Amino acid sequence: MKPFQAPLDDIFFSLNHVAGALDVADWDSAFSAEIATHFAGFAEGEIAPLDETGDRQGCRLVDGRVLMPDGFPELYTTFAEQGWQGLTAPEQYGGQGMGAMILAVTSEIFSGANHSLQMVTGLVPGAIRTISRFGSEDQKNRFIPPLAAGETLATMCLTEAGAGSDLSAIRCRANQQDGAWHITGEKIFISGGDQNISDRILHLVLARTSDDGVRGLSLFLCPSEKKNGARNSISVTRIEEKMGLHASPTCQLAFAAAEAELIGVEGQGLQAMFTMMNHARADVALQGVAHAARAYDLAGAYAAERVQGRLPDGGPATLDQHADVRRMLDEIDRLAMGGRFIAHLAFVTMEQGDNPNLVEFLTPLAKVYCTEAGIKAAELGMQVLGGYGYLQEYRLEQTYRDARITSIYEGANGIHTRMLATRLLDGPAAAAFAEFVAAEGAGDVFGLWQAAWQHLKDCQDSARHAHDFMALTCDTLLQCLWTRAEQAAQDHPDPDRVLRLAHAASVSGQALAPGYQAMIQSR
């Protein structure tokens, strides 16, 4: 089995020459590459080797506490001591104050090396951003420094049994007594809800303070320890047995009048929580990219060495010299690179800060395309390896198992697809996307997208066409980004590979066009 290797060349080609990071004023590409190289060495040498151990051993619930797999506590201690957890935290709170783009680099590498551990640690930047935006000065001073130092890890407590994506059905309540808030209720599917790698846990809990639907929801900071140092009344009632991410404890939590603090304004919890959720969704997009890239690395290495059949001249052929295998490998590679282009464009646009409407439109695109790309790439990689892909030996089956959740959590992809075709359709976000694509000159595909856009705006049931519209929108954006990649191919260490993939992506888009045209005409 090929050891994990961070795809640094592809990452910086995408950021600098496709997504436009070089146009961001404070982006120092050379310095960022130096940081990424250091993190890649740490990920390859220490984080990735525990991924298989974690998958096989999983997490255990012992006497009400979650124990992580062997080696994980020691690894996390090293990770925190090296300062990685505070990479983007504000400097005044002990962080390094770096931007979202360098976090995009390290997050993808981390997910490719060990998705489970990345899941447990990955909510901290979003928690810091939420506290920075909505917290009081006192809350910022108390909660951000331990998050930046790695002493505290964060969770996001939204989901409840029976509520799912319907946040108006949340029943967990927060009551105020003698000026203090206490939370009572249950939350499910809480990643890292308990663990033994950090000193403390900070739960960001969405709870009901009135019965006024979603307007009755508020956001609370609920630490694992009370102010007097005793353990807060939060218990783990179970950890889920999952298809993948075995080393990431997914917990059901019970809050029994647990001490908490309101963050932000009472009744405006969704606004605060979405700050954390939007970070998480961008992070999940990169998880999909990481799995696609890992699938390409594993399948490509195997296919380059495995001898099967003969060439036309009678010589021995490796798998990657067979046309159908080459087709699958190129598709895996294209899924990984194309997904990275979309995700990086979202991060760069976010960092530039001058087009929030485009960021709003790109976020669901990145979440949907990248996560589905990771799943499809892992499936294709297994097919390249044949029977060996179905075995645990080469670990592509783990890649598939771990990637599969990404299209489900942080809002199932169907929710994002529906949002694109409804709420975002007739507003400034869609207009910002149209302006961006028009400036890129996407040609016939953009004409189809405009026709579909107008068709859905005039349609009484646009949600019925949401899946097709999402696919067309992603394809339209990818035509723009692959054109950029083709024009910048000489800046990649392997320009022939980029040109081959760009050409295949263009052909793919042209092949889709008649189907979309028929959809518009027939509906």
Side-chain angles (χ1 to χ4, degrees), residues 141-353:
N141 289 327
R142 284 187 293 118
F143 289 111
I144 295 179
L147 288 167
E151 298 164 4
T152 299
L153 286 175
T155 75
M156 182 168 59
C157 300
L158 280 79
T159 309
E160 297 180 14
S165 300
D166 182 8
L167 297 180
S168 66
I170 284 178
R171 299 184 300 276
C172 188
R173 297 199 73 94
N175 297 301
Q176 196 172 25
Q177 277 188 322
D178 300 326
W181 288 96
H182 297 85
I183 294 177
T184 299
E186 292 189 349
K187 296 289 184 178
I188 64 171
F189 299 158
I190 309 305
S191 298
D194 191 48
Q195 35 76 13
N196 64 329
I197 62 175
S198 67
D199 296 336
R200 292 174 296 278
I201 301 172
L202 179 63
H203 303 284
L204 275 73
V205 185
L206 196 64
R208 184 164 297 288
T209 50
S210 81
D211 294 322
D212 189 16
V214 295
R215 289 185 292 273
L217 298 174
S218 303
L219 185 63
F220 293 87
L221 302 175
C222 189
S224 58
E225 295 181 357
K226 299 179 180 181
K227 291 180 179 179
N228 64 8
R231 185 163 177 80
N232 209 349
S233 49
I234 307 165
S235 59
V236 182
T237 56
R238 63 178 288 171
I239 55 175
E240 305 296 346
E241 298 290 336
K242 308 189 300 291
M243 173 181 175
L245 295 186
H246 294 160
S248 173
T250 303
C251 302
Q252 180 172 310
L253 299 180
F255 297 80
E259 288 187 3
E261 297 181 25
L262 177 70
I263 179 171
V265 178
E266 184 178 345
Q268 296 183 13
L270 281 186
Q271 181 183 0
M273 181 57 84
F274 272 115
T275 298
M276 190 168 185
M277 289 179 68
N278 286 335
H279 165 82
R281 287 165 176 170
D283 202 43
V284 169
L286 290 171
Q287 291 169 0
V289 170
H291 285 302
R294 179 64 170 150
Y296 177 71
D297 196 28
L298 289 172
Y302 178 87
E305 295 178 356
R306 175 76 159 87
V307 175
Q308 182 73 47
R310 294 192 173 276
L311 296 169
D313 63 5
T318 53
L319 274 181
D320 61 354
Q321 292 175 301
H322 292 282
D324 193 56
V325 174
R326 185 71 260 164
R327 173 192 64 80
M328 289 190 286
L329 289 172
D330 281 353
E331 184 174 354
I332 298 169
D333 198 10
R334 193 167 69 248
L335 287 167
M337 293 190 75
R340 189 181 289 112
F341 295 163
I342 294 176
H344 282 172
L345 178 65
F347 273 97
V348 168
T349 308
M350 188 187 311
E351 195 77 353
Q352 286 173 321

Side-chain angles (χ1 to χ4, degrees), residues 504-519:
S506 175
V507 170
S508 173
Q510 292 170 11
L512 286 172
Y516 290 124
Q517 187 68 56
M519 176 195 80

Side-chain angles (χ1 to χ4, degrees), residues 51 57-58 113 159 164 180 247 253 287 321 371 385 407 437 443 446 507:
D51 189 37
Q57 190 178 114
T159 309
L253 299 180
Q287 291 169 0
Q321 292 175 301
T371 58
L385 269 66
S407 68
V437 176
F446 180 46
V507 170

